[in-house]
Coordinates of all heavy atoms in Angstrom, one line a residue:
M1 N 10.3 16.6 -19.0 CA 10.7 15.6 -20.0 C 9.6 14.6 -20.3 O 8.9 14.1 -19.3 CB 11.9 14.8 -19.4 CG 12.5 13.9 -20.4 SD 14.2 13.4 -20.0 CE 14.0 12.2 -18.6
K2 N 9.4 14.2 -21.5 CA 8.4 13.2 -21.9 C 8.8 11.8 -21.5 O 10.0 11.4 -21.5 CB 8.2 13.2 -23.4 CG 7.5 14.4 -23.9 CD 7.2 14.2 -25.4 CE 6.6 15.4 -26.0 NZ 6.5 15.3 -27.4
K3 N 7.9 11.0 -21.0 CA 8.0 9.6 -20.8 C 7.0 8.9 -21.6 O 5.9 9.3 -21.8 CB 7.8 9.2 -19.3 CG 9.0 9.6 -18.4 CD 9.9 8.4 -18.4 CE 10.9 8.6 -17.3 NZ 12.1 7.8 -17.5
Y4 N 7.4 7.7 -22.1 CA 6.4 6.9 -22.9 C 6.1 5.6 -22.2 O 7.0 4.9 -21.8 CB 7.1 6.6 -24.3 CG 7.3 7.9 -25.1 CD1 8.5 8.5 -25.1 CD2 6.2 8.3 -25.9 CE1 8.6 9.7 -25.8 CE2 6.4 9.5 -26.7 CZ 7.6 10.1 -26.6 OH 7.8 11.2 -27.4
N5 N 4.8 5.3 -22.0 CA 4.4 4.0 -21.5 C 4.1 3.2 -22.8 O 3.1 3.5 -23.4 CB 3.3 4.1 -20.6 CG 2.8 2.8 -20.0 OD1 3.2 1.8 -20.4 ND2 1.9 2.9 -19.0
I6 N 4.8 2.2 -23.0 CA 4.7 1.4 -24.3 C 4.2 0.0 -24.0 O 4.8 -0.7 -23.1 CB 6.0 1.3 -25.0 CG1 6.5 2.8 -25.3 CG2 5.9 0.6 -26.3 CD1 7.9 3.0 -25.5
Q7 N 3.1 -0.5 -24.6 CA 2.6 -1.8 -24.4 C 2.9 -2.6 -25.7 O 2.4 -2.1 -26.8 CB 1.1 -1.8 -24.1 CG 0.8 -1.0 -22.8 CD 1.3 -1.7 -21.5 OE1 1.3 -2.9 -21.5 NE2 1.9 -0.9 -20.6
L8 N 3.6 -3.7 -25.6 CA 3.8 -4.5 -26.8 C 3.0 -5.8 -26.7 O 3.1 -6.5 -25.7 CB 5.3 -4.9 -26.8 CG 6.3 -3.7 -26.9 CD1 7.7 -4.3 -26.6 CD2 6.2 -3.0 -28.3
L9 N 2.3 -6.2 -27.7 CA 1.6 -7.5 -27.8 C 2.6 -8.4 -28.5 O 2.9 -8.3 -29.6 CB 0.4 -7.4 -28.5 CG -0.5 -8.7 -28.6 CD1 -0.8 -9.3 -27.2 CD2 -1.8 -8.4 -29.3
I10 N 3.2 -9.3 -27.7 CA 4.2 -10.2 -28.2 C 3.5 -11.6 -28.6 O 2.8 -12.2 -27.8 CB 5.3 -10.5 -27.1 CG1 5.8 -9.2 -26.5 CG2 6.4 -11.5 -27.6 CD1 6.7 -8.4 -27.5
N11 N 3.8 -12.0 -29.8 CA 3.3 -13.3 -30.3 C 4.4 -14.3 -30.0 O 5.4 -14.3 -30.6 CB 3.0 -13.2 -31.8 CG 2.4 -14.4 -32.3 OD1 1.8 -15.2 -31.6 ND2 2.6 -14.6 -33.6
S12 N 4.1 -15.2 -29.0 CA 5.2 -16.1 -28.6 C 4.9 -17.4 -29.3 O 3.7 -17.9 -29.3 CB 5.1 -16.3 -27.1 OG 6.0 -17.5 -26.8
P13 N 5.9 -18.0 -29.9 CA 5.7 -19.3 -30.6 C 5.5 -20.5 -29.6 O 4.9 -21.5 -30.0 CB 7.0 -19.5 -31.4 CG 8.0 -18.7 -30.7 CD 7.3 -17.6 -30.1
T14 N 5.9 -20.4 -28.4 CA 5.8 -21.5 -27.5 C 4.5 -21.3 -26.5 O 4.1 -22.4 -25.9 CB 7.0 -21.7 -26.7 OG1 7.3 -20.4 -26.0 CG2 8.2 -22.0 -27.5
T15 N 4.0 -20.1 -26.3 CA 2.9 -19.9 -25.4 C 1.9 -19.0 -26.1 O 2.1 -18.7 -27.2 CB 3.4 -19.2 -24.1 OG1 3.9 -17.9 -24.4 CG2 4.5 -20.0 -23.4
F16 N 0.9 -18.6 -25.3 CA -0.1 -17.6 -25.8 C 0.6 -16.3 -26.0 O 1.6 -16.0 -25.4 CB -1.2 -17.5 -24.8 CG -2.0 -18.8 -24.7 CD1 -1.9 -19.5 -23.5 CD2 -2.9 -19.2 -25.7 CE1 -2.6 -20.7 -23.4 CE2 -3.6 -20.4 -25.6 CZ -3.5 -21.1 -24.4
S17 N 0.0 -15.4 -26.8 CA 0.5 -14.1 -26.9 C 0.3 -13.3 -25.6 O -0.6 -13.7 -24.8 CB -0.4 -13.3 -28.0 OG -0.2 -13.9 -29.3
Y18 N 1.2 -12.4 -25.3 CA 1.1 -11.7 -24.1 C 1.5 -10.2 -24.2 O 2.2 -9.8 -25.2 CB 2.0 -12.4 -23.0 CG 3.5 -12.4 -23.4 CD1 4.4 -11.4 -22.9 CD2 4.0 -13.4 -24.2 CE1 5.7 -11.4 -23.2 CE2 5.4 -13.4 -24.5 CZ 6.2 -12.4 -24.0 OH 7.5 -12.4 -24.4
W19 N 1.1 -9.4 -23.3 CA 1.4 -8.0 -23.3 C 2.6 -7.8 -22.4 O 2.8 -8.3 -21.4 CB 0.3 -7.1 -22.7 CG -0.9 -7.1 -23.7 CD1 -2.0 -7.8 -23.6 CD2 -1.0 -6.2 -24.8 NE1 -2.8 -7.4 -24.7 CE2 -2.3 -6.4 -25.3 CE3 -0.3 -5.2 -25.3 CZ2 -2.7 -5.8 -26.4 CZ3 -0.7 -4.5 -26.4 CH2 -1.9 -4.7 -26.9
K20 N 3.5 -6.9 -22.9 CA 4.7 -6.6 -22.2 C 4.8 -5.1 -22.0 O 4.7 -4.4 -23.1 CB 6.0 -7.1 -22.9 CG 7.3 -6.7 -22.2 CD 8.4 -7.3 -23.0 CE 9.8 -6.9 -22.4 NZ 10.1 -7.5 -21.2
G21 N 4.9 -4.5 -20.9 CA 4.9 -3.1 -20.6 C 6.3 -2.6 -20.5 O 7.2 -3.2 -19.9
V22 N 6.6 -1.5 -21.2 CA 8.0 -0.9 -21.2 C 7.8 0.6 -21.0 O 6.9 1.2 -21.6 CB 8.7 -1.2 -22.5 CG1 10.1 -0.6 -22.6 CG2 8.7 -2.7 -22.9
E23 N 8.7 1.2 -20.2 CA 8.7 2.6 -20.0 C 10.0 3.1 -20.6 O 11.1 2.5 -20.5 CB 8.7 3.0 -18.5 CG 7.3 3.3 -18.0 CD 7.3 4.1 -16.8 OE1 8.4 4.5 -16.3 OE2 6.2 4.3 -16.3
S24 N 10.0 4.2 -21.4 CA 11.1 4.8 -22.1 C 11.0 6.3 -22.1 O 9.9 6.8 -22.1 CB 11.3 4.1 -23.4 OG 12.3 4.7 -24.1
D25 N 12.1 7.0 -22.2 CA 12.1 8.4 -22.4 C 12.1 8.7 -23.9 O 12.2 9.8 -24.4 CB 13.1 9.1 -21.7 CG 14.5 8.6 -21.9 OD1 14.7 7.6 -22.7 OD2 15.5 9.2 -21.4
K26 N 12.2 7.7 -24.8 CA 12.2 7.8 -26.2 C 11.0 7.0 -26.9 O 10.7 5.9 -26.3 CB 13.4 7.3 -26.8 CG 14.7 8.1 -26.4 CD 16.0 7.6 -27.0 CE 17.1 8.4 -26.5 NZ 18.3 7.8 -26.9
A27 N 10.4 7.5 -27.9 CA 9.3 6.8 -28.6 C 9.9 5.6 -29.3 O 11.2 5.6 -29.7 CB 8.7 7.8 -29.6
P28 N 9.1 4.6 -29.6 CA 9.6 3.5 -30.3 C 10.0 3.8 -31.7 O 9.4 4.7 -32.3 CB 8.4 2.4 -30.3 CG 7.4 3.0 -29.4 CD 7.7 4.4 -29.1
K29 N 11.0 3.2 -32.3 CA 11.5 3.5 -33.6 C 11.6 2.2 -34.4 O 12.0 1.2 -33.9 CB 12.9 4.1 -33.6 CG 13.0 5.5 -33.3 CD 14.3 6.1 -33.6 CE 15.5 5.4 -33.0 NZ 16.8 6.1 -33.1
K30 N 11.1 2.2 -35.6 CA 11.2 1.0 -36.5 C 12.5 1.2 -37.2 O 12.8 2.1 -37.9 CB 10.1 1.0 -37.5 CG 10.1 -0.2 -38.3 CD 8.8 -0.3 -39.2 CE 8.8 -1.5 -40.0 NZ 7.7 -1.5 -40.9
I31 N 13.4 0.3 -36.9 CA 14.8 0.3 -37.5 C 14.7 -0.2 -38.9 O 15.3 0.4 -39.8 CB 15.8 -0.6 -36.7 CG1 15.8 -0.1 -35.2 CG2 17.2 -0.6 -37.3 CD1 16.3 1.3 -35.0
N32 N 14.1 -1.3 -39.1 CA 13.8 -1.8 -40.5 C 12.6 -2.8 -40.4 O 12.0 -2.8 -39.3 CB 15.0 -2.5 -41.1 CG 15.6 -3.6 -40.2 OD1 14.8 -4.4 -39.6 ND2 16.9 -3.8 -40.1
D33 N 12.3 -3.6 -41.3 CA 11.2 -4.4 -41.3 C 11.2 -5.5 -40.2 O 10.3 -6.0 -39.8 CB 10.9 -5.1 -42.6 CG 10.3 -4.2 -43.7 OD1 9.8 -3.2 -43.3 OD2 10.4 -4.5 -44.9
G34 N 12.4 -5.8 -39.7 CA 12.5 -6.8 -38.7 C 12.9 -6.4 -37.3 O 12.9 -7.2 -36.3
V35 N 13.1 -5.1 -37.1 CA 13.6 -4.7 -35.8 C 12.9 -3.4 -35.3 O 12.7 -2.4 -36.1 CB 15.1 -4.4 -35.8 CG1 15.6 -4.0 -34.5 CG2 15.9 -5.6 -36.2
I36 N 12.4 -3.4 -34.0 CA 11.8 -2.2 -33.4 C 12.7 -1.9 -32.2 O 13.0 -2.8 -31.4 CB 10.4 -2.5 -33.0 CG1 9.5 -2.8 -34.2 CG2 9.9 -1.3 -32.2 CD1 8.1 -3.3 -33.8
Q37 N 13.1 -0.6 -32.1 CA 14.0 -0.2 -31.0 C 13.2 0.6 -30.0 O 12.5 1.6 -30.4 CB 15.1 0.7 -31.5 CG 16.0 1.2 -30.3 CD 17.1 2.1 -30.8 OE1 17.2 2.4 -32.0 NE2 18.0 2.4 -30.0
I38 N 13.2 0.3 -28.7 CA 12.6 1.1 -27.6 C 13.7 1.4 -26.7 O 14.2 0.5 -26.0 CB 11.5 0.3 -27.0 CG1 10.4 0.0 -28.0 CG2 10.9 1.2 -25.9 CD1 9.3 -0.8 -27.5
G39 N 14.1 2.6 -26.5 CA 15.3 3.0 -25.7 C 16.5 2.3 -26.2 O 16.9 2.4 -27.3
E40 N 17.1 1.5 -25.3 CA 18.3 0.7 -25.7 C 18.0 -0.7 -26.0 O 18.9 -1.5 -26.2 CB 19.3 0.8 -24.4 CG 19.7 2.2 -24.0 CD 20.4 2.9 -25.1 OE1 21.3 2.4 -25.7 OE2 20.1 4.1 -25.3
V41 N 16.7 -1.1 -26.0 CA 16.3 -2.5 -26.3 C 15.8 -2.7 -27.7 O 15.0 -1.8 -28.2 CB 15.3 -2.9 -25.2 CG1 14.9 -4.4 -25.4 CG2 15.9 -2.7 -23.8
Y42 N 16.2 -3.7 -28.3 CA 15.7 -4.0 -29.7 C 14.8 -5.3 -29.6 O 15.1 -6.2 -28.9 CB 16.9 -4.4 -30.6 CG 17.8 -3.2 -30.8 CD1 18.9 -2.9 -29.9 CD2 17.6 -2.3 -31.8 CE1 19.7 -1.8 -30.1 CE2 18.4 -1.2 -32.0 CZ 19.4 -1.0 -31.2 OH 20.3 0.1 -31.3
Y43 N 13.7 -5.2 -30.3 CA 12.7 -6.3 -30.4 C 12.6 -6.8 -31.8 O 12.6 -6.0 -32.7 CB 11.3 -5.8 -29.9 CG 11.3 -5.4 -28.4 CD1 11.6 -4.2 -28.0 CD2 11.0 -6.4 -27.5 CE1 11.6 -3.8 -26.7 CE2 11.0 -6.0 -26.1 CZ 11.3 -4.8 -25.7 OH 11.3 -4.5 -24.4
N44 N 12.4 -8.1 -31.9 CA 12.2 -8.7 -33.3 C 10.7 -8.3 -33.7 O 9.8 -8.7 -33.0 CB 12.4 -10.2 -33.1 CG 12.1 -10.9 -34.4 OD1 11.6 -10.4 -35.4 ND2 12.6 -12.2 -34.5
A45 N 10.6 -7.5 -34.7 CA 9.3 -7.0 -35.1 C 8.4 -8.2 -35.6 O 7.2 -8.0 -35.5 CB 9.5 -6.0 -36.3
I46 N 8.9 -9.2 -35.9 CA 8.1 -10.4 -36.4 C 7.2 -10.9 -35.2 O 6.1 -11.3 -35.4 CB 8.9 -11.5 -37.0 CG1 9.6 -11.0 -38.3 CG2 8.1 -12.8 -37.2 CD1 10.7 -11.9 -38.8
N47 N 7.8 -10.8 -34.0 CA 7.1 -11.2 -32.8 C 6.2 -10.2 -32.2 O 5.4 -10.6 -31.3 CB 8.1 -11.7 -31.7 CG 8.9 -12.9 -32.2 OD1 8.4 -13.7 -33.0 ND2 10.1 -13.0 -31.6
V48 N 6.2 -8.9 -32.6 CA 5.3 -7.9 -32.1 C 4.2 -7.7 -33.0 O 4.3 -7.3 -34.1 CB 6.2 -6.6 -32.0 CG1 5.3 -5.5 -31.4 CG2 7.4 -6.8 -31.1
K49 N 3.0 -8.1 -32.4 CA 1.8 -8.0 -33.1 C 1.1 -6.6 -33.1 O 0.5 -6.1 -34.1 CB 0.7 -9.0 -32.6 CG 1.1 -10.4 -32.9 CD 0.2 -11.4 -32.1 CE -1.2 -11.5 -32.8 NZ -2.0 -12.5 -32.1
E50 N 1.3 -5.9 -32.0 CA 0.7 -4.6 -31.8 C 1.5 -3.7 -30.8 O 2.1 -4.3 -29.9 CB -0.7 -4.8 -31.3 CG -1.6 -3.5 -31.3 CD -3.0 -3.8 -30.9 OE1 -3.5 -5.0 -31.0 OE2 -3.6 -2.9 -30.4
I51 N 1.5 -2.4 -31.0 CA 2.2 -1.5 -30.1 C 1.2 -0.4 -29.7 O 0.6 0.2 -30.6 CB 3.5 -0.9 -30.7 CG1 4.5 -1.9 -31.1 CG2 4.1 0.1 -29.7 CD1 5.7 -1.4 -31.8
I52 N 1.1 -0.2 -28.4 CA 0.3 1.0 -28.0 C 1.2 1.9 -27.2 O 2.0 1.4 -26.3 CB -0.8 0.5 -27.0 CG1 -1.8 -0.5 -27.7 CG2 -1.6 1.7 -26.4 CD1 -2.8 -1.1 -26.8
V53 N 1.2 3.1 -27.6 CA 2.2 4.1 -27.0 C 1.3 5.2 -26.2 O 0.5 5.8 -26.8 CB 3.1 4.8 -28.0 CG1 4.0 5.8 -27.4 CG2 3.9 3.8 -28.8
I54 N 1.6 5.4 -25.0 CA 0.9 6.4 -24.2 C 2.0 7.4 -23.8 O 3.0 7.0 -23.1 CB 0.2 5.8 -22.8 CG1 -0.8 4.7 -23.3 CG2 -0.4 6.8 -22.0 CD1 -1.2 3.8 -22.2
E55 N 1.8 8.6 -24.2 CA 2.7 9.7 -24.0 C 2.4 10.4 -22.6 O 1.3 10.9 -22.5 CB 2.7 10.6 -25.1 CG 3.9 11.5 -25.1 CD 3.9 12.4 -26.4 OE1 3.7 11.8 -27.5 OE2 4.0 13.6 -26.3
N56 N 3.3 10.4 -21.6 CA 3.1 11.1 -20.4 C 4.0 12.4 -20.4 O 5.2 12.3 -20.7 CB 3.6 10.2 -19.2 CG 2.7 8.9 -19.2 OD1 1.6 9.0 -19.5 ND2 3.4 7.9 -18.8
H57 N 3.4 13.4 -20.0 CA 4.1 14.8 -20.0 C 4.6 15.0 -18.6 O 4.0 14.7 -17.6 CB 3.3 15.9 -20.5 CG 2.9 15.7 -21.9 ND1 3.7 16.1 -22.9 CD2 1.8 15.2 -22.5 CE1 3.1 15.8 -24.1 NE2 2.0 15.3 -23.8

């Protein structure tokens, strides 16, 4: 089964930008212009500056 190591660069309005690591068995999906879904978690796409996806087999 595939696993995805996903790194999100989060643009925080109150602090510096930071990287958040997420593991999921599903690739990230763009729901619409404002929402990115990773597994069961939804992220505000406005706050996500960059996404790096590493596919592990």
Side-chain angles (χ1 to χ4, degrees):
M1 183 164 75
K2 287 184 186 177
K3 282 271 192 202
Y4 296 91
N5 181 351
I6 302 154
Q7 300 293 319
L8 302 168
L9 182 56
I10 306 293
N11 186 23
S12 173
T14 56
T15 63
F16 295 107
S17 297
Y18 62 95
W19 288 97
K20 177 179 178 72
V22 180
E23 269 198 3
S24 177
D25 54 358
K26 295 182 180 169
K29 284 195 304 191
K30 185 175 182 182
I31 303 300
N32 56 41
D33 284 341
V35 179
I36 296 169
Q37 179 184 6
I38 300 174
E40 302 297 317
V41 181
Y42 295 88
Y43 293 91
N44 183 342
I46 295 167
N47 293 335
V48 178
K49 292 170 75 174
E50 189 173 338
I51 299 176
I52 298 173
V53 179
I54 301 166
E55 195 175 310
N56 300 322
H57 295 278

